[in-house]
Amino acid sequence: MKGIDVSSYQTAAQAGMSGIDFTIIKATQGRSYVNPLCNAQWDAAGKAGHLRGLYHYASGGDPAKEADYFIAQIKNYVGKGILALDWEAGQNAAWGSKSWALTFVKRIHSKTGVWPVIYVQASAIAQVASCAPYCGLWIAGYPTNAASWTVPSFIYSTGAWKSATIWQFSSGGSLDRNVAYVSAAGWNAIAKASKVKTAAAKVTTAVKIVAKKATYSTKKKTVWRMATDTVAGKTGNGKTRVKTLGKYYTGVQAAANYLMKSTSKATAMKALAAETKKGVFGTGSTRKAILGTWYDEVQAIINGATMAAPAARTYTVKSGDTLSGIGSKLGVAWATLATKNDIKSPYTIYPGQKLKY
């Protein structure tokens, strides 16, 4: 079977593209990031009849807590598609560890009954070898890296695994292409779609109990943060969302529509400008804090300037920083930071480096 893996770099339409058998979607990273397009990509892939999967990108924090975060976000999908751990060097504080991945997958299994597959580059298989008795191998290696579905000869060692379950054989043309060495039945067996309903229900119930006690707060959040939370389903739906977001609803919904690619950025900025004129986001430093990275563009519209008016701003990378952490601090998607600064996988950044945003 052939298929793709996607993140927020790809659209929902790409997730549901024709001519493939499966789509694996990035759901989370670390303990703070949720792919804002995850639900839309999942639905598009399902509508297209694809087998599906969800993956967590390791940030190298506490592995059990990252596993808990992953499951909390995708609890309703457990058993409906394979789960995967993405083990890469970029933005991964535990890179080089030979035990982190095992702790993560054991935690996932204890909560869901599912063993995730392990994504890793061919040269780093030794780091996740401890998972071989439990997990399938999703190996990345690009002999030609051509933007083509012609699968080249497999030239890599699978280390502690007898064979690979999935091979990501190309990232050419900005699209990760994969081939799976299992049937649809084998895929569903890895997902354990018919065997983890009880475990999944327990996880869902536990999370729902917590959710009833917690109330979403807009306090000290930027419009971007509230919009991404809305896309992730954290602010509810319909009347609940209106009540949760309060006076920010109209502007945040416009921003969320832009993040989901259902409206243009220009339309979203005009909506935010209109709400700003009404005083929704306050004045002075308060307005700057709430609008965050969109402040200059919104203010330019209010002042009658063009959308191109905002001056470039920079952030100097500090020791221990990650793109996702910087993005959360600035109110900017980490993928946007990567694009603006031409940072490509494995998304390595250095202390002292100046990032435009």
Side-chain angles (χ1 to χ4, degrees), residues 5 9 54 57 67 77 85 90 99 106 110 147 188 206 208 227 245 278 286 345:
D5 58 276
Y9 284 117
L54 294 167
Y57 189 105
Y77 297 146
L85 169 65
S99 60
K106 283 189 172 181
S110 70
N188 289 328
K208 283 185 176 178
L245 293 174
K278 295 177 184 177
T286 298
S345 180

Side-chain angles (χ1 to χ4, degrees), residues 288-312:
K288 284 186 176 181
I290 297 176
L291 290 175
T293 188
W294 287 331
Y295 172 80
D296 288 335
E297 290 173 89
V298 171
Q299 199 62 48
I301 294 172
I302 292 173
N303 295 339
T306 64
M307 291 281 287

